[in-house]
């Protein structure tokens, strides 16, 4: 005769272990996704700041030095 209580207990334990494994994997995936989103947001903010600095430089009559990544002050006047 089959010992049904042992079979039911074995199935319940196997189900609990499978559920625990799935939860751990899902939690790890959420952590990695959050890390990538944080890095993307930081990169977007840095790009916005750089674009704003460039725009402020041009609006103030400056000349943007791309090599140095900064504003070099007003553009030199040519003898037109």
């Amino acid at each position: 005769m089959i010992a049904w209580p042992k079979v039911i207990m074995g199935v319940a334990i196997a189900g609990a272990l499978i559920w625990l494994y799935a939860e751990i994997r899902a939690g790890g995936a959420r952590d990695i996704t959050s890390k990538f989103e944080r890095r993307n947001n930081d990169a977007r903010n840095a790009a916005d700041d750089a674009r704003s600095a460039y725009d402020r430089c041009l609006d103030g009559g400056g000349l943007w030095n791309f090599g140095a990544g900064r504003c070099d002050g007003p553009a030199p006047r040519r003898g037109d």
Side-chain angles (χ1 to χ4, degrees):
M1 188 179 308
I2 297 177
W4 288 107
K6 288 183 181 180
V7 171
I8 292 172
M9 184 61 79
V11 170
I13 290 172
L17 290 175
I18 291 170
W19 174 81
L20 181 63
Y21 174 77
E23 283 296 314
I24 290 171
R25 276 187 64 97
R30 281 191 299 270
D31 290 345
I32 290 172
T33 301
S34 296
K35 191 180 299 183
F36 279 118
E37 287 177 356
R38 222 174 298 120
R39 287 182 183 172
N40 285 342
N41 289 339
D42 291 344
R44 185 191 68 223
N45 291 339
D48 286 344
D49 292 344
R51 186 183 67 235
S52 295
Y54 175 77
D55 289 342
R56 282 192 309 271
C57 178
L58 295 183
D59 289 344
L63 180 65
W64 186 260
N65 183 340
F66 286 98
R70 61 182 167 86
C71 188
D72 281 344
R77 297 194 49 99
R78 298 182 187 182
D80 290 333

